[in-house]
Amino acid sequence: MSNTVHVYDARADHATVTAESPLAYSFQRSGMPAPGEASGEESRAVIGERAFLGHLILRGGAIVLDEALREVLGIGLPGRPNSLTVDADGQRSVQWLSPDEWLLIVPGDETFGLETRLRAHLGGSHVAIVDVSAGQTLIELSGEAAHEVLMKSTVYDVDPHAFTVGKGVTTLFAKTSVILRRPDESRWELIVRRSFADYVYRWLLDAGAEYGIGVVREDRHESQ
Amino acid sequence: MFHIYCPYCEEHREEEEFHPKGQAHIARPEDPDACSDEAWGDYLFFRDNPRGIHHEMWLHAVGCRKFFNITRHTVSYEILETYKMGEQPTVGAEHLAREEKTAREGKTDSVQVAEGGQQAVGASDAALASVKGAQA
Ligand SMILES: [Zn+2]
């Protein structure tokens, strides 16, 4: 038995293939209505995908992981269940998933370096770090009716007064599951499994139709 | 529909997020090679089916994905408490006996036997016997 951990840079930057976001197919097949396009009225809900982010699952003891993360990234683990910590410029976040599990999301090109530095800092600690970037994607939902779209879709209480900024939960969404969080006043984030991304996207288009839901394509393109 | 308090998430969640996982606190025989076939069979296959308080495991499947315990009344469906794995319940069968005694003393006509022989909470042995007699 060997204790060697093999760490790979899973990003496609250096490869010759073009990276496709999990929703690339859905955008083509189901379309990308501009906000308000379908209803002819002003759009009250907007969705957009933030693809190619780095998603790392951290497992282990809270104290050792918190210390390493503060040292390497400058933000700590959220102290309470169902909560979220976001760094100053809003690009990096850590979310509580379970008593020994957290989801760390950073810009895609930082993933490998961050994982390497975390591993170096953690040394032989009893922890696990798994890069799940390829397995899920982040869908952003905003607009004044964003929570109304969510109310149609999840059993969780998404009233903005109950689901306050800084909260994040894993719950049901339509017939699948989702990690739902609120990083700031104006946005909701849905982290969905890649294989369910198309389902969630089409569900959102349908559920949001009455609010004139539209899609905004992110302008930050994957650098090739 | 249950509204279940997850001791790990520290909040109430909808039943849909959970899976029941059967009886809790089943101890594996200390030395399987040395225990009797009967003891091993009991451990593997035989489960309690009480009318009243039941300690059971549940999984917060779409949530924190942790197992925990629920003490539930199998007739009223009331959830009396939830507690983490490795912890012991504070509500048990004695608690139920006490409650039922109080209920019986407070109300002598609390025996209700529904048609078809299903008895409600608080049915006396005499009422049970009469139902069984009627069915026989
Ligand atoms: Zn939970």
Side-chain angles (χ1 to χ4, degrees), chain B residues 6 8-9 60 64:
Chain B
C6 172
Y8 294 103
C9 291
H60 194 182
C64 62

Side-chain angles (χ1 to χ4, degrees), chain A residues 69-189:
Chain A
L69 210 59
R70 281 178 196 280
E71 192 71 32
V72 172
L73 200 62
I75 53 174
L77 293 183
R80 302 287 310 152
N82 307 311
S83 57
L84 176 72
T85 312
V86 185
D87 79 344
D89 66 359
Q91 294 299 304
R92 293 154 203 88
S93 63
V94 204
Q95 184 184 349
W96 183 99
L97 291 185
S98 102
D100 54 5
E101 184 176 1
W102 292 267
L103 171 64
L104 175 58
I105 297 188
V106 296
D109 53 8
E110 293 179 14
T111 322
F112 183 59
L114 177 64
E115 183 182 350
T116 311
R117 289 202 305 284
L118 272 176
R119 284 190 186 281
H121 198 275
L122 287 160
S125 306
H126 186 62
V127 297
I129 303 174
V130 183
D131 184 346
V132 295
S133 311
Q136 51 197 33
T137 191
L138 192 153
I139 298 174
E140 227 171 53
L141 182 61
S142 57
E144 58 177 277
H147 69 279
E148 291 180 52
V149 177
L150 291 172
M151 280 174 183
K152 296 167 72 176
S153 315
T154 175
V155 292
Y156 199 84
D157 184 0
V158 290
D159 186 296
H161 298 292
F163 204 123
T164 49
V165 171
K167 194 169 171 113
V169 299
T170 309
T171 189
L172 290 155
F173 184 93
K175 289 189 187 294
T176 182
S177 63
V178 71
I179 294 173
L180 179 65
R181 39 200 244 161
R182 219 179 146 205
D184 57 47
E185 280 292 338
S186 61
R187 289 178 306 129
W188 298 77
E189 290 179 344

Side-chain angles (χ1 to χ4, degrees), chain A residues 15-30:
Chain A
T16 50
V17 292
T18 312
E20 292 274 34
S21 92
L23 282 182
Y25 171 72
S26 314
F27 290 148
Q28 281 197 7
R29 195 182 68 165
S30 308

Side-chain angles (χ1 to χ4, degrees), chain A residues 82 96-99 170, chain B residues 5-11 13 17-18 59-66 68:
Chain A
N82 307 311
W96 183 99
L97 291 185
S98 102
T170 309
Chain B
Y5 182 85
C6 172
Y8 294 103
C9 291
E10 299 179 9
E11 60 181 24
R13 299 289 191 92
E17 292 186 6
F18 299 87
L59 173 65
H60 194 182
V62 187
C64 62
R65 284 159 295 131
K66 294 287 178 197
F68 62 99

